Amino acid sequence: AQSVSQHNHHVILSEAASLELGCNYSYGGTVNLFWYVQYPGQHLQLLLKYFSGDPLVKGIKGFEAEFIKSKFSFNLRKPSVQWSDTAEYFCAVIPWGSSASKIIFGSGTRLSIRP
Amino acid sequence: GAGVSQTPSNKVTEKGKYVELRCDPISGHTALYWYRQSLGQGPEFLIYFQGTGAADDSGLPNDRFFAVRPEGSVSTLKIQRTERGDSAVYLCASSLAGGGGAADTQYFGPGTRLTVL
């Protein structure tokens, strides 16, 4: 079955530390890839997306992600985190197939930033 | 412009009761999706509408769950004979076109938190 794995359930960092959140998916065909963020008390928001082209994708708030097809990975990075980055981060995939709009989400990574 | 809205924001019901959850998508979006998010998990797909028709309902857990979108805009998720295991946040999303591709970015609403006692 198609799935998305997020390796870390909870990450705790100090401000200004660098961030990398892992994401791997299991699907051999064409995929659309996303990172969504959910700030405390808010709804899911799109952070960045990959559809095609340059595998290094830049999103909002200084985040970026790199699609490595050979590793089935789409890790999220930020060189210097801020306290306001405290949130839940979800990696997500749309595998192309019979229903090319069904998002498969990972279980999420909770990011806590110490001020 | 307005985003996706969902009502009610919270719903508490008793086991065995019937509930309806409403979603109002972004104006002009033809595709509408329902997801369910249990505590500590990512959202799980339930159903996808393209216009008025359900293009994919493979995520509905059983026949107690049903959704409609009669005029291609507002959608209602209906749950019959609710069970405690139905407790979750029900999320609605909409996208411009559906079907994948650059136009298929899904925008999520705030969700309805359903609690079945």
Side-chain angles (χ1 to χ4, degrees):
Chain A
Q2 299 148 358
S3 65
V4 177
S5 298
Q6 292 185 241
H7 313 302
N8 308 102
H9 295 294
H10 189 193
V11 172
I12 303 172
L13 295 173
S14 298
E15 276 195 313
S18 64
L19 168 73
E20 181 159 3
L21 301 182
C23 173
N24 287 90
Y25 64 92
S26 63
Y27 185 73
T30 303
V31 292
N32 296 336
L33 296 157
F34 308 82
W35 277 94
Y36 279 85
V37 60
Q38 189 166 24
Y39 297 103
Q42 298 187 27
H43 59 273
L44 275 170
Q45 303 172 38
L46 182 66
L47 201 54
L48 50 77
K49 62 185 179 184
Y50 171 81
F51 285 92
S52 64
D54 189 344
L56 185 61
V57 180
K58 295 195 182 298
I60 60 172
K61 303 187 181 187
F63 286 91
E64 65 178 30
E66 185 175 11
F67 170 46
I68 303 179
K69 189 174 181 180
S70 61
K71 295 184 178 180
F72 300 91
S73 70
F74 191 56
N75 291 356
L76 181 70
R77 299 194 292 250
K78 185 171 183 178
S80 176
V81 295
Q82 301 172 307
W83 180 79
S84 58
D85 294 325
T86 295
E88 185 103 24
Y89 292 81
F90 294 93
C91 182
V93 166
I94 294 180
W96 281 82
S98 58
S99 174
S101 292
K102 179 165 64 177
I103 296 183
I104 299 171
F105 283 90
S107 57
T109 296
R110 184 157 62 100
L111 176 64
S112 299
I113 306 297
R114 292 189 290 247
Chain B
V4 177
S5 62
Q6 293 185 246
T7 54
S9 56
N10 280 283
K11 176 70 177 177
V12 180
T13 190
E14 293 179 343
K15 180 174 178 295
K17 298 290 188 183
Y18 168 84
V19 296
E20 289 189 353
L21 311 179
R22 176 189 167 107
C23 172
D24 209 328
I26 293 172
S27 178
H29 281 194
T30 62
L32 185 146
Y33 314 80
W34 284 99
Y35 294 83
R36 177 168 73 173
Q37 186 174 16
S38 300
L39 195 63
Q41 300 296 319
E44 291 180 292
F45 170 81
L46 295 176
I47 187 169
Y48 153 51
F49 286 90
Q50 184 60 260
T52 60
D56 184 348
D57 64 358
S58 62
L60 294 177
N62 51 59
D63 61 5
R64 295 188 297 106
F65 289 74
F66 189 71
V68 295
R69 195 186 185 200
E71 297 177 357
S73 179
V74 170
S75 175
T76 305
L77 179 66
K78 308 180 181 193
I79 310 174
Q80 299 177 323
R81 304 182 305 279
T82 52
E83 300 177 356
R84 291 194 180 89
D86 298 335
S87 296
V89 176
Y90 289 81
L91 298 171
C92 178
S94 70
S95 69
L96 191 60
D104 196 41
T105 300
Q106 296 181 25
Y107 298 90
F108 284 79
T112 293
R113 182 176 298 278
L114 175 66
T115 303
V116 182
L117 301 176

